[in-house]
Amino acid sequence: MASVAQAIRMALHYGETNLGVKDIFGQDVGAPLGGVFTATQGLKTAWNSPLDERGIIGMAMGIAMGGDKCVAEIQFADYIFNTIDLLKIAGNTLWCTNGQVQLPMVVMTPVGAGIFGSVYHSHSFDAWASRLPGWKIVMPSNPLDAYGLMLAAIKDPNPVLYLKSKALMRHKGDELIPGEPADEKELKAMIDKPVQNAEGWKPRWPDLEEYIVPIGKGKITHAGEHITVVTYSRMVHLCDEVALKLAGEGISVEVIDLRSIYPYDWQMIKSSIEKTGRVLFVNEDTEVTNFGEHLAYRATQELFYQLMARPRVLAGKNLPGIGLHPNLEKNSVPQLNDIETAIREVVAEVP
Amino acid sequence: MSKKTTVKAGRKSAAKKPAKAAAKTAVKTSKKASAKADNFGGLSEDLLLRIHDLMVKSRVLEERLIKIYKAGEAYFWIGGPGEEAFGVPLGLLARKGQGPAYDWFHLHYRCTPTMVALGMNMVDSIRLIMNRATDPSTGGRNFANHYCFPQWNVAPVTSPIEVQYPLACGTAHVQKRFGKKALSIVTGGDAGTAEGDFASALILASRKGQELPVLITVQNNKFGISTPFEGQHGETHIADRAKAFNIRARVINGNDPVETYLALQEEMEYIRKTGNPSFIEAHVSRLYGHSSADGANKKAHLVDPVFTFENRLIDAGILSEKAAKKIWEIYEAEGVAAQEQARTEPVPTPESVWENVYVDSENADWRKF
């Protein structure tokens, strides 16, 4: 099975071969490195930009305005913050021009904790991103979704932020990407640059097929009856693990992988809450102010009389950063036991 | 919205009268000219008169915008009276059209002269400042002079200064790949060069082997809102910063349309020929201050490029005083008529806030997911 990094690489290859992508660029995106997580290795249109996040976003906006499709990368979301006003402009360009100027561009950036990346390699960006009207925002949790959401992002006529979990880059799923060889060693031999003697190396791409995960559509990763847990990205796997454990105790947890932050799949959330009467929102961005709070607010507003317990948000602590030592990181973002405890508390609550 | 304007004119005729009409009158007059001590850099009389005509039109339009603001028919004015001698030649020299085969403009909010030279009607600028739904740039959503004309590759003007510089590198990158020798033009102010985006553009445009066909310009009017040049800059010329990146650079008198025209022509030809960037720092006057925030009153002590050029043309016998007066009158009437026309036009509806948040107006309102 492909890793998330390999899935993104294959999606970008499909994009430059079939969907008109002409530039994939950013810091260290081109040869020789092919991205710090290897997600852009071997791509024919990948090139290295100066170490300048604002230059990267501005250039991407210009390329999109000029009529070409590009995928730009900010090496870590931790460094995207000095581009906020450019992201704001990219998001408002269609609106400000009354529909005249579209910016079909993709910006991808690794987000979140889980790799012991310390203060400046552990930032989340989902709540910030959700305050950028005009952008669509996706956060895949597995390789197949990573592939399908990237193709959807490339095809979308709006600017799309593609937030990829740093901790999931080596994560392998249990579903094959259409066209991917079943043997992961074979895939590695085809598309991973050799560590040694890589001079002259070129990838042999599998015969990939188009596979789209529609932006705005979530997925139920674990069906259940007693509580709805709405999450995305890395936290999906933690929530699924807790759901499996609690199933043995008769606590039936429904886990929704939102996959898209904006637009988000409210109908899926709503249907599930109407079924379970209880809801927990889980993500690792800081708790003040958190995207889960918006969802909890909406759940309260629209489903108040169907709720059996107070909606709850479990998120990262509101701290200036995430410390390097595992004791610090693990006490900053939700862990398995935090999720389990929160689920038990919500399920135990009686009106 | 029923305030009277000061000059009466027929709405229909003035709003639709093309700029060339006034120039035609002037050309006819110029045939009587005899003494031409000033050779005007070899530019033809027709071109000189065309430049003058457009400079006057732009000035009249900007002054009309100020009047509209001061009459309470607009919320804010910001613009570029004093930059006609730079902006008009820039608009005239560009390869105008839509798509990568044509030149791109990444302008700031002092570029009415360039828009007028490209062919923008007065009424479209007035619709913008009066927030009409008919405003072709923003549909009544944005400030004065925040132009957007995709049919001429005019990128939307932004309120944050200097962000347009790296965008110009993006469109230049597309143009270079397209291979039709089109270029991207970016304009901005001297104070804005303190922003990092300015440095980003110098770097992106000049990387060895990856040079971009972009004309980087700075209109140096010696002020950043209220702070003088000396309070913001250590460098002697802003153009010197481009030289550090091996970008060809020059400083010009942007109040002289002849010097500007010749310099722009030379640099644009250089860019088209080599695919390399070029840099022009143009010294200009800021005749009405920064914006309505500092009063928008005329600074009489500054060089007025329009009257200076007009007097040159009259002294040379290319233009008569009578013909010049007529040009001002025609455009003043056009401006008044355009304002009166804009008054009658619809404003954006409240519910239109949800339009064009996303392409095809999908997913704008989360309450409807």
Side-chain angles (χ1 to χ4, degrees):
Chain A
M1 300 290 176
S3 67
V4 167
Q6 287 173 321
I8 292 171
R9 203 189 305 160
M10 288 192 282
L12 293 173
H13 167 71
Y14 189 89
E16 65 183 10
T17 307
N18 298 288
L19 303 178
V21 172
K22 292 189 176 173
D23 294 285
I24 299 164
F25 69 103
Q27 298 167 16
D28 304 306
V29 162
L33 193 57
V36 291
F37 292 101
T38 73
T40 53
Q41 259 183 7
L43 297 166
K44 64 182 176 185
T45 63
W47 54 272
N48 292 322
S49 72
L51 303 185
D52 173 16
E53 289 82 13
R54 289 185 68 89
I56 292 166
I57 300 297
M59 188 89 178
M61 291 166 67
I63 290 171
M65 206 174 276
D68 283 350
K69 180 74 97 172
C70 68
V71 179
E73 178 172 78
I74 301 300
Q75 196 165 57
F76 291 91
D78 312 71
Y79 301 100
I80 204 171
F81 290 87
N82 72 344
T83 74
I84 287 278
D85 66 324
L86 291 172
L87 299 177
K88 184 180 170 190
I89 292 167
N92 72 29
T93 293
L94 184 79
W95 193 87
C96 286
T97 63
N98 209 18
Q100 294 188 89
V101 177
Q102 300 180 6
L103 290 182
M105 55 191 266
V106 181
V107 173
M108 61 177 181
T109 188
V111 294
I115 60 168
F116 301 108
S118 182
V119 180
Y120 263 86
H121 295 81
S122 302
H123 273 294
S124 291
F125 195 63
D126 28 311
W128 295 86
S130 71
R131 293 183 208 110
L132 293 169
W135 283 86
K136 294 185 179 179
I137 304 123
V138 299
M139 288 189 77
S141 68
N142 61 71
L144 185 60
D145 284 357
Y147 183 86
L149 282 169
M150 179 59 81
L151 264 51
I154 290 169
K155 293 183 87 166
D156 201 285
N158 299 284
V160 180
L161 265 168
Y162 184 97
L163 306 180
K164 46 189 183 180
S165 164
K166 295 161 196 163
L168 288 181
M169 287 298 178
R170 301 285 170 262
H171 169 77
K172 293 176 180 175
D174 50 13
E175 294 175 286
L176 283 173
I177 292 163
E180 174 192 350
D183 181 352
E184 63 183 51
K185 286 183 181 173
E186 185 186 347
L187 178 67
K188 181 178 175 60
M190 291 173 76
I191 69 168
D192 281 6
K193 189 175 78 170
V195 177
Q196 303 288 337
N197 303 319
E199 195 174 341
W201 169 81
K202 284 186 178 173
R204 289 181 295 113
W205 297 103
D207 190 14
L208 297 161
E209 297 169 25
E210 185 159 305
Y211 173 79
I212 304 290
V213 173
I215 297 176
K217 295 295 178 192
K219 181 183 179 184
I220 295 171
T221 57
H222 192 279
E225 301 292 331
H226 299 151
I227 181 172
T228 301
V229 175
V230 181
T231 186
Y232 43 83
S233 192
R234 181 167 72 101
M235 290 292 142
V236 170
H237 304 286
L238 277 65
C239 293
D240 276 343
E241 191 174 333
V242 172
L244 273 175
K245 178 183 176 184
L246 294 180
E249 300 178 24
I251 299 174
S252 177
V253 180
E254 180 143 294
V255 179
I256 292 176
D257 178 357
L258 209 50
R259 303 200 286 193
S260 295
I261 302 298
Y262 204 94
Y264 57 87
D265 197 341
W266 177 248
Q267 294 308 317
M268 179 174 280
I269 297 171
K270 183 181 176 186
S271 300
S272 181
I273 295 175
E274 284 172 341
K275 178 176 67 176
T276 64
R278 290 178 163 81
V279 63
L280 170 70
F281 299 96
V282 180
N283 64 69
E284 61 177 292
D285 205 344
T286 47
E287 59 200 348
V288 182
T289 306
N290 187 279
F291 180 64
E293 291 180 336
H294 164 69
L295 298 176
Y297 161 79
R298 188 167 185 185
T300 308
Q301 291 297 306
E302 296 186 23
L303 303 167
F304 184 77
Y305 296 106
Q306 285 138 291
L307 288 165
M308 305 296 286
R310 293 167 292 141
R312 187 170 164 185
V313 176
L314 178 62
K317 292 187 173 66
N318 193 36
L319 295 164
I322 291 174
L324 180 57
H325 192 280
N327 283 349
L328 300 174
E329 177 175 306
K330 289 180 177 177
N331 193 34
S332 300
V333 296
Q335 304 294 312
L336 283 169
N337 60 313
D338 300 318
I339 297 166
E340 181 181 333
T341 301
I343 290 173
R344 287 185 186 280
E345 285 177 3
V346 176
V347 170
E349 192 167 310
V350 177
Chain B
M1 295 291 183
S2 61
K3 290 190 174 76
K4 297 274 185 186
T5 46
T6 51
V7 180
K8 291 183 178 177
R11 178 190 306 168
K12 193 175 175 184
S13 60
K16 293 184 176 176
K17 191 177 286 294
K20 285 181 181 173
K24 197 173 176 183
T25 310
V27 172
K28 192 175 178 182
T29 310
S30 74
K31 287 180 180 170
K32 298 171 185 171
S34 53
K36 299 185 186 62
D38 189 340
N39 69 9
F40 294 98
L43 301 186
S44 72
E45 287 189 12
D46 279 357
L47 178 58
L48 294 168
L49 290 168
R50 178 84 178 128
I51 291 171
H52 169 263
D53 183 273
L54 292 166
M55 288 172 70
V56 173
K57 183 177 184 180
S58 179
R59 173 63 59 80
V60 170
L61 172 58
E62 282 280 29
E63 289 180 337
R64 173 58 42 196
L65 298 180
I66 292 170
K67 286 170 188 162
I68 289 169
Y69 161 71
K70 291 197 172 185
E73 293 192 70
Y75 296 106
F76 183 77
W77 170 82
I78 192 164
E83 299 201 10
E84 296 86 356
F86 177 80
V88 167
L90 183 65
L92 287 176
L93 281 162
R95 195 187 290 171
K96 188 176 89 171
Q98 186 167 20
Y102 300 93
D103 294 344
W104 266 92
F105 291 91
H106 298 269
L107 305 174
H108 64 147
Y109 37 65
R110 302 206 307 256
C111 294
T112 292
T114 300
M115 296 307 304
V116 167
L118 285 173
M120 178 183 70
N121 293 321
M122 279 191 176
V123 71
D124 284 337
S125 179
I126 290 170
R127 285 167 170 150
L128 171 58
I129 197 172
M130 291 177 72
N131 331 123
R132 283 346 209 211
T134 50
D135 152 33
S137 293
T138 81
R141 291 177 170 188
N142 216 336
F143 278 158
N145 286 9
H146 283 50
Y147 299 117
C148 172
F149 284 80
Q151 68 270 35
W152 302 330
N153 279 353
V154 176
V157 173
T158 63
S159 295
I161 56 171
E162 232 63 3
V163 298
Q164 67 272 24
Y165 280 78
L167 265 73
C169 295
T171 52
H173 177 78
V174 172
Q175 289 167 316
K176 186 164 191 168
R177 178 157 50 210
F178 197 69
K180 298 289 185 186
K181 300 198 178 298
L183 56 92
S184 288
I185 299 157
V186 60
T187 68
D190 48 304
T193 62
E195 300 281 359
D197 302 292
F198 179 74
S200 291
L202 294 177
I203 292 166
L204 285 165
S206 64
R207 293 178 303 148
K208 292 189 189 307
Q210 300 171 78
E211 293 87 351
L212 296 172
V214 56
L215 175 63
I216 304 171
T217 75
V218 175
Q219 290 78 69
N220 183 353
N221 64 22
K222 318 291 195 303
F223 274 96
I225 307 181
S226 68
T227 305
F229 183 90
E230 292 73 21
Q232 305 196 44
H233 294 266
E235 72 271 40
T236 304
H237 299 295
I238 296 167
D240 292 342
R241 289 160 67 183
K243 290 177 183 172
F245 292 85
N246 293 317
I247 296 175
R248 182 164 128 150
R250 64 203 288 181
V251 181
I252 65 168
N253 175 11
N255 282 333
D256 179 350
V258 175
E259 180 179 336
T260 300
Y261 189 95
L262 294 171
L264 284 169
Q265 188 175 44
E266 190 174 321
E267 296 311 308
M268 289 165 89
E269 283 175 3
Y270 163 78
I271 296 167
R272 292 190 207 285
K273 186 177 175 185
T274 65
N276 292 337
S278 177
F279 188 103
I280 290 181
E281 176 184 349
H283 288 206
V284 297
S285 294
R286 194 177 71 169
L287 285 185
Y288 282 83
H290 176 69
S291 69
S292 48
D294 65 4
N297 298 314
K298 190 161 187 181
K299 313 291 186 284
H301 62 287
L302 297 175
V303 172
D304 187 320
V306 180
F307 286 116
T308 303
F309 186 51
E310 184 171 290
N311 289 335
R312 258 175 91 184
L313 293 175
I314 291 170
D315 289 348
I318 295 171
L319 179 68
S320 71
E321 287 190 30
K322 186 181 173 186
K325 187 168 178 283
K326 184 71 177 170
I327 294 169
W328 287 89
E329 287 173 355
I330 287 172
Y331 285 131
E332 181 59 28
E334 182 177 338
V336 170
Q339 181 180 357
E340 289 176 350
Q341 179 178 327
R343 274 197 198 117
T344 68
E345 294 179 345
V347 296
T349 60
E351 60 274 16
S352 70
V353 292
W354 296 112
E355 293 172 5
N356 300 310
V357 179
Y358 292 94
V359 174
D360 298 329
S361 295
E362 59 154 353
N363 294 319
D365 185 357
W366 56 269
R367 296 164 188 83
K368 296 176 181 173
F369 287 172

